[in-house]
Amino acid sequence: MQSKSDKLAALLVAKDYNAALALAEKFPRLGDAKDTIRTAHAARVNPRFYKSLGKDPAQLVQNGIDALVKRYQHLTTKEKK
């Protein structure tokens, strides 16, 4: 059985950031990136709401992708044994 971390690593390597955000936003421990990642997912699925708040959904999503890649960089740079 594939762990959620393994699934996330595969999504990041495949650059499927939408699915990676959807998976990671459910993780209980996201550290400092928690709010950014969760907001990015929410802005991706409901951009009109964030536009109504005067925010740029595309920028929020990009910020979340950047935070996700930085937070889980160790999953994609493992040395193969």
Side-chain angles (χ1 to χ4, degrees):
M1 181 153 78
Q2 191 178 28
S3 71
K4 288 182 182 180
S5 293
D6 291 339
K7 288 179 186 178
L8 181 61
L11 292 169
L12 291 173
V13 168
K15 298 186 184 206
D16 186 353
Y17 298 123
N18 290 337
L21 282 171
L23 177 63
E25 71 97 16
K26 297 173 191 151
F27 286 10
R29 286 179 238 113
L30 294 171
D32 294 340
K34 177 175 124 178
D35 291 337
T36 306
I37 291 170
R38 289 184 175 167
T39 300
H41 174 68
R44 190 183 65 75
V45 297
N46 196 358
R48 286 179 26 185
F49 173 71
Y50 286 89
K51 282 182 184 177
S52 75
L53 296 176
K55 305 208 180 221
D56 180 9
Q59 186 61 53
L60 293 173
V61 171
Q62 188 57 53
N63 293 346
I65 290 168
D66 295 342
L68 186 65
V69 169
K70 182 178 177 185
R71 172 89 170 116
Y72 292 102
Q73 181 179 7
H74 66 280
L75 293 177
T76 60
T77 58
K78 287 183 186 177
E79 290 184 28
K80 303 294 181 197
K81 293 182 179 180

